[in-house]
Amino acid sequence: MAERGLSRRRFLGATAALGAVTFFSMTPVSRSIAAALSPTASSLLGFKAVPASTADTIVVPEGYQVERLISWGDPLFADVAEFSNQLHKNTAANQKRQFGDNNDGMSFFPVDQQTAILAVNNEYTNYELMFEHQGKNMTAADVDYAQAAHGVSIITLTKQAQGWRFDRNGRFNRRIDASTAMRISGPAQGHALLQTNADPKGEVALGTFNNCANGMTPWGTYLTCEENFNGYFGSDAQVDLSPEFSRYGIAAVDAGYSWYKFDSRFDLGKEPNEPNRFGWVVEIDPHNPSSIPVKRTALGRFKHENAELVIAEDGRVVVYLGDDERGEHIYRFVSRNKYSPTDQTANRDLLDDGELFVAKFNEDGSGEWLSLAYGQNGLTADNGFASQADILIHARLAATQVGATTMDRPEWVAVHPHEPMVFCTLTNNKNRGLKDNQPVGGPNPRAENHYGQIVRWVPSAGQHTAKDFQWDLFLMAGNPDIHGGTLYAGSSNITTDNMFNSPDGIGFDQAGRLWIQSDGNYSNQDDFAGQGNNQMLCADPKTGEVRRFLTGPVACEITGLAFTPDQKTLFVGVQHPGEERVPSSFPFGGDSVARSSVMVITRIDGGVIGA
């Protein structure tokens, strides 16, 4: 079964019909092999790989340099107080105008030759690092502070002699947090399940949080994706929770944030519809600090990882979406209307009208997109779906109804810049093979999968709007030193020199290098011995070679990446160094509090990153 999933012959045979497609005549599929079988040296990767590391620092290849751009708590405006290592001195009022915590996905927007915007997600908070009481004695003021650290930070960059730097006086600087007003748009706008006491029309939500990964549009807007929103809700009252809430992980006991104790809209006993207003993709105009963010309900409600947008050959917008939970699914949105390269204003509502699909992966390497349109595939009132809005609000249940494939935690999706080829990280899944709805097989070939893999597919005739696709596995992460000769060693392009676990963030540069970031077990013991801290790797999709490019500090996740248009500067995120009080003082050293940060990487000779 694993050989079928990794078979070069099958993948190439399935895509043979694409021979006439321009993309593949330039770079034939015969060179885009299923990398797990026969990796070869790559001319695309021009750096010397770095070894695994357990040091409390960032390590980059010879000839590269890394600098700190901005960290949690840094002021975004000249009149705001600095972050204090005396934690009791930090306040919500300051945090609302400081860089948020746990930076994740990010996008770079050029303004002119000397100015740019970096939009950065701020996913969540670590109470053990944020409060002296480590979250054990939360107050209303503490909750306000935590809410202010979530959301999105938009910062102005200026190009100086030494490179791109944050401008504290920049005109684009903005903080969006858990209380920022947002318009609800699309088919679910005004639905009864989105109506609350504060918003009886169901049209204006307050805030965005647990913003994981991201996307950007060709009309200049930023897409931020709400992921594990469920953990912020709870109640001390006896509440009758629906099966729909159970599917989304919403329970009377929260994840320890304590928001519901001091903010009634997070109390399920008082505002039972509030959770339905989260789990969406939010569109933000980073060029206008006074613009109102928009929750685009046509893209479905689930635990979004990122939103990878591509313009199809017929001009329609296609957005690929992963739902990051064990046994959940991969989705695709196709807009009804076409993108206009000459009228950007006309593009602003393209994400409100279209069709949502969910993926089914077959054992033979074929796949299809199953429509989540009302009235199709059993999505009717008889099965609990009274309208398209019902389907979108409960997209997970709709995906189950139509028979979508359960996956090993679908995370980021990335589309190759020159070929109609799509990659998705499946980070891990301890339930694979143990739960009835998560059998071993297809793109999920290992039981109790704690290493993860990357699935790749090519749409029929190279059209991202096509109903069908062919898939293979680009790689399986693993540990060949511990599990040699088994599936848990990983695919053959995984070696002692580049092994890792839990692929998470991915993205392409313009040359077609695939950059892979990990968010996994950093114990460096047992199954993970020799893998060290979380890291960032670079792969050549044509040859299958994978090299380790960067290692992060202690107890961090490496997440978020953005290139400048000239490909000579790379922004990379370091999230939650020192989580769970693992000793770390990154990035300032000494006895400072460990702080999530965005780092800037350049080549000393000024060349292209990775080349």
Side-chain angles (χ1 to χ4, degrees):
M1 180 274 302
E3 282 191 20
R4 287 202 305 273
L6 297 171
S7 168
R8 177 187 180 200
R9 183 186 311 165
R10 177 195 54 71
F11 190 65
L12 298 183
T15 56
L18 294 176
V21 178
T22 302
F23 288 121
F24 288 96
S25 64
M26 291 189 297
T27 310
V29 178
S30 60
R31 295 175 60 198
S32 279
I33 65 173
L37 284 186
S38 53
T40 57
S42 168
S43 60
L44 199 61
L45 310 184
F47 61 91
K48 182 180 178 181
V50 301
S53 170
T54 58
D56 192 29
T57 189
I58 280 192
V59 178
V60 293
E62 295 177 7
Y64 285 77
Q65 58 190 1
V66 58
E67 302 170 276
R68 186 186 73 89
L69 178 72
I70 195 167
S71 300
W72 164 44
D74 282 353
L76 298 193
F77 306 91
D79 60 347
V80 180
E82 297 282 350
F83 177 90
S84 176
N85 282 299
Q86 295 177 278
L87 299 179
H88 65 279
K89 292 186 177 181
N90 296 312
T91 66
N94 286 335
Q95 179 63 81
K96 280 182 171 292
R97 305 183 75 221
Q98 294 171 333
F99 190 74
D101 197 6
N102 280 332
N103 46 274
D104 205 304
M106 66 183 87
S107 293
F108 182 92
F109 297 85
V111 176
D112 55 42
Q113 293 298 316
Q114 302 300 318
T115 311
I117 301 168
L118 191 68
V120 187
N121 286 351
N122 299 117
E123 187 176 7
Y124 68 107
T125 53
N126 297 90
Y127 282 5
E128 70 273 21
L129 300 176
M130 178 173 264
F131 302 110
E132 290 177 341
H133 57 66
Q134 300 175 42
K136 298 174 183 176
N137 299 295
M138 294 294 289
T139 65
D142 292 338
V143 168
D144 288 344
Y145 177 31
Q147 290 179 346
H150 286 69
V152 178
S153 296
I154 298 173
I155 63 175
T156 306
L157 303 181
T158 57
K159 192 170 186 179
Q160 302 175 13
Q162 65 272 40
W164 290 98
R165 295 292 184 267
F166 164 56
D167 182 359
R168 192 174 293 189
N169 297 305
R171 66 185 187 275
F172 302 108
N173 296 348
R174 182 184 186 186
R175 280 284 290 120
I176 294 168
D177 60 30
S179 300
T180 303
M182 304 191 171
R183 181 166 64 88
I184 300 172
S185 73
Q189 181 190 56
H191 191 280
L193 289 175
L194 300 186
Q195 297 171 4
T196 65
N197 290 319
D199 177 29
K201 293 183 178 181
E203 296 178 349
V204 179
L206 291 183
T208 184
F209 45 83
N210 216 274
N211 303 79
C212 194
N214 62 301
M216 60 187 301
T217 71
W219 52 92
T221 59
Y222 182 67
L223 303 177
T224 183
C225 303
E226 298 173 343
E227 190 191 21
N228 294 310
F229 63 92
N230 58 297
Y232 297 84
F233 297 91
S235 184
D236 292 329
Q238 289 291 112
V239 290
D240 184 16
L241 300 180
S242 67
E244 290 82 5
F245 270 12
S246 178
R247 179 64 182 273
Y248 282 82
I250 299 164
V253 179
D254 74 350
Y257 290 104
S258 299
W259 289 12
Y260 79 90
K261 296 178 181 179
F262 302 98
D263 187 339
S264 62
R265 70 185 174 108
F266 295 94
D267 189 329
L268 297 172
K270 297 176 181 178
E271 290 289 3
N273 283 343
E274 189 71 19
N276 298 326
R277 294 149 67 87
F278 298 91
W280 304 104
V281 173
V282 183
E283 186 171 7
I284 300 167
D285 182 356
H287 299 84
N288 182 1
S290 63
S291 62
I292 299 174
V294 184
K295 298 203 175 192
R296 301 291 186 186
T297 64
L299 276 63
R301 174 175 165 267
F302 40 88
K303 294 183 179 180
H304 287 275
E305 189 68 18
N306 79 324
E308 179 74 341
L309 188 150
V310 62
I311 304 300
E313 208 169 75
D314 67 0
R316 287 184 290 170
V317 172
V318 175
V319 186
Y320 291 105
L321 308 152
D323 183 357
D324 182 11
E325 192 157 316
R326 302 176 188 95
E328 291 300 335
H329 310 287
I330 297 172
Y331 297 80
R332 180 191 70 172
F333 169 84
V334 179
S335 70
R336 182 180 304 277
N337 297 317
K338 297 180 179 181
Y339 167 70
S340 172
T342 60
D343 186 357
Q344 300 297 9
T345 302
N347 298 318
R348 287 304 179 96
D349 292 324
L350 282 175
L351 301 183
D352 271 348
D353 190 6
E355 189 169 1
L356 190 65
F357 300 82
V358 66
K360 181 179 180 181
F361 293 80
N362 300 316
E363 290 280 346
D364 65 358
S366 66
E368 61 180 310
W369 291 106
L370 307 173
S371 175
L372 296 181
Y374 179 69
Q376 297 188 34
N377 300 319
L379 298 176
T380 63
D382 290 342
N383 291 318
F385 303 98
S387 66
Q388 186 63 33
D390 283 341
I391 292 168
L392 296 170
I393 294 169
H394 300 132
R396 284 183 166 182
L397 282 75
T400 297
Q401 174 66 43
V402 304
T405 302
T406 59
M407 307 294 285
D408 287 351
R409 287 186 59 192
E411 300 236 23
W412 295 46
V413 183
V415 176
H416 195 287
H418 309 303
E419 300 181 3
M421 187 176 293
V422 191
F423 294 71
C424 179
T425 51
L426 306 175
T427 198
N428 56 54
N429 184 2
K430 66 182 181 181
N431 296 333
R432 179 63 58 184
L434 301 182
K435 290 194 172 184
D436 291 340
N437 71 331
Q438 298 179 47
V440 173
N444 310 286
R446 293 178 290 189
E448 299 181 69
N449 172 22
H450 49 261
Y451 289 123
Q453 62 267 15
I454 298 178
V455 64
R456 167 175 62 178
W457 65 88
V458 174
S460 295
Q463 304 298 314
H464 287 287
T465 55
K467 178 184 177 181
D468 304 312
F469 58 87
Q470 298 291 326
W471 67 268
D472 74 349
L473 290 178
F474 176 66
L475 65 75
M476 292 197 301
N479 193 324
D481 289 352
I482 303 297
H483 296 292
T486 76
L487 283 180
Y488 299 91
S491 47
S492 61
N493 54 344
I494 300 302
T495 68
T496 297
D497 294 329
N498 67 10
M499 62 180 176
F500 67 102
N501 72 88
S502 301
D504 189 341
I506 54 171
F508 279 99
D509 62 22
Q510 285 303 308
R513 300 178 191 87
L514 180 64
W515 297 86
I516 305 167
Q517 300 173 320
S518 72
D519 176 22
N521 188 304
Y522 45 75
S523 67
N524 206 39
Q525 298 176 353
D526 302 324
D527 284 332
F528 310 98
Q531 296 187 340
N533 297 343
N534 277 307
Q535 55 193 274
M536 183 170 180
L537 308 103
C538 189
D540 184 339
K542 300 174 187 177
T543 69
E545 184 183 0
V546 181
R547 293 185 195 175
R548 185 183 293 115
F549 177 80
L550 171 155
T551 58
V554 170
C556 83
E557 168 188 353
I558 299 298
T559 183
L561 67 156
F563 285 90
T564 53
D566 63 8
Q567 309 291 288
K568 294 182 179 181
T569 302
L570 169 63
F571 301 90
V572 172
V574 175
Q575 189 187 89
H576 63 67
E579 70 171 352
E580 298 180 356
R581 299 187 72 78
V582 176
S584 172
S585 58
F586 182 87
F588 296 99
D591 58 358
S592 63
V593 174
R595 292 159 65 185
S596 296
S597 303
V598 177
M599 312 301 291
V600 186
I601 298 173
T602 54
R603 276 175 47 168
I604 295 173
D605 65 3
V608 170
I609 302 292

